[in-house]
Amino acid sequence: MAPSVTESYPTPPHQLREPPSKAIFPDGIKTSGQHPPLYDQLRPYSDFPKEITGPTVWKTEDYINNPERWTHPFNEDEIAELSEAAEKFVADGTPLTGISKVSRIFFIDNSTILMILKDNFPLPNMSSFLESMRRELLNGKGFILFNGFPVEEWGNHKCAVAYMGLGTYLGYFVSQNGRGHVLGHVKDVGDDSSQTHKVRIYRTNARQYFHADDSDIVGLLCIACALEGGESDIVSVHHVYNVLQRERPDVIKTLTEPNWYFDRKGETSDGEEEWIRQAVLYLETGDNPRVCLKYDPYFIKSLSRFSDAGLIPALSPIQQEAAQVLEDTCKRLALHMILEVGDIQFLSNEHVLHARTEYKDHAPPEPRRHLMRLWLATPESEGGWKLPFYDSAERKRGGIQVNEQRPVAPLDAE
């Protein structure tokens, strides 16, 4: 199916280059990367709804005592199908970065046109169920927890293949950092969490405050647990929005204003600025727009090297208060869960925020806490949200792309 909305957007600057080389990008699709919003398509606070209704609005009490509503234990047939597909993929010798449910490889006038379907990770029996899960992530409650992935039996390589193959039924994997990691690893590698201007917090054991990642869906596969801590909290953005509209509409208004600066922490392509100015809350483009969010407090509080030099304004007292009120409200309304070995958590980044408690690892030789992470994109032409960004129609929208960095899928943190 060809993209249905490409013509409504100007040609993005990142598309003015040659089409991606399959020698570098095995599936023929390059991560779009980080871009400023289309400022003329941003809507003022007065256009935002007073209240949001529908399945994306949920409360902790809806689920805390009803795990059957948000968990799915893998059954024997599903594990067997994943195992068979993974073993065939490995036997075929395709690089892990080339795994895909479909290949899209033809380019006409700088736009990707779907011409060939090529499934290299077939899941014929699970595909309908995974499509329903994808719809639930995009347009429903926005989260699911799978149980019983055979991590210890399969080992990291087979787990990575099966996990990424499963992920292709939910979206297109995108690069998660400047090194091109499409398979990420949430693990304490000893980085100093106080060096917020250059350290990504997922590489430390520090608390991660409520945030959304730079993709439409995020997946986390638990390979090993911490000795203590490292527990997960999630919250409905739309429930938080409704509560704040009642309690602190001034905070919602502040979050809709496109004067927040987000640090890129040096993960930039040639000629790009080291920050992006944007809002926290957006309305979709088109009719009946939904409220969506892009936010990570670690990326708004690490910019003093630029604000001290007078290059950008510092966070105002009003913004600092809004960020704190948002965090406090998320904590008050959050659903708490603990990921065990073999659990896979998938979350929407459009309408769910997630956080992690600080943790302490086991002493050696016990393994450190380790989660394999996927960032997945869901373009407009395949049911994704209509975002006011240049790359909203692209298949691998979002993510982090530095120049022509090739995608890599390491089996452990590096």
Side-chain angles (χ1 to χ4, degrees), residues 373-411:
R373 185 173 70 177
L374 293 178
W375 282 5
L376 302 170
T378 58
E380 289 184 24
S381 59
E382 298 176 29
W385 287 45
K386 298 178 180 179
L387 306 178
F389 286 80
Y390 274 118
D391 62 348
S392 186
E394 293 191 28
R395 288 177 169 81
K396 288 195 175 183
R397 65 187 190 180
I400 297 172
Q401 181 67 43
V402 174
N403 296 315
E404 295 301 299
Q405 172 62 51
R406 68 174 61 248
V408 294
L411 297 180

Side-chain angles (χ1 to χ4, degrees), residues 162-217:
Y163 175 44
M164 291 185 71
L166 176 70
T168 64
Y169 286 78
L170 303 176
Y172 299 86
F173 56 76
V174 296
S175 172
Q176 303 173 31
N177 57 30
R179 290 176 289 176
H181 290 183
V182 293
L183 179 64
H185 299 277
V186 180
K187 193 173 189 177
D188 182 12
V189 296
D191 288 355
D192 183 354
S193 62
S194 68
Q195 301 294 306
T196 56
H197 65 289
K198 60 181 180 180
V199 168
R200 300 280 297 277
I201 295 300
Y202 73 87
R203 293 169 58 84
T204 76
N205 66 349
R207 170 173 173 76
Q208 282 192 293
Y209 297 100
F210 282 93
H211 67 284
D213 293 321
D214 258 328
S215 63
D216 297 298
I217 294 170

Side-chain angles (χ1 to χ4, degrees), residues 86 89-90 96 99 121 149 154-167 183 185 221 223 372 374 409-412:
F89 182 88
V90 171
L96 191 49
I99 197 167
F121 199 89
F149 201 76
W154 284 359
N156 279 13
H157 186 203
K158 185 174 177 179
C159 279
V161 172
Y163 175 44
M164 291 185 71
L166 176 70
L183 179 64
H185 299 277
L221 164 61
I223 301 295
M372 287 185 180
L374 293 178
L411 297 180
D412 206 335

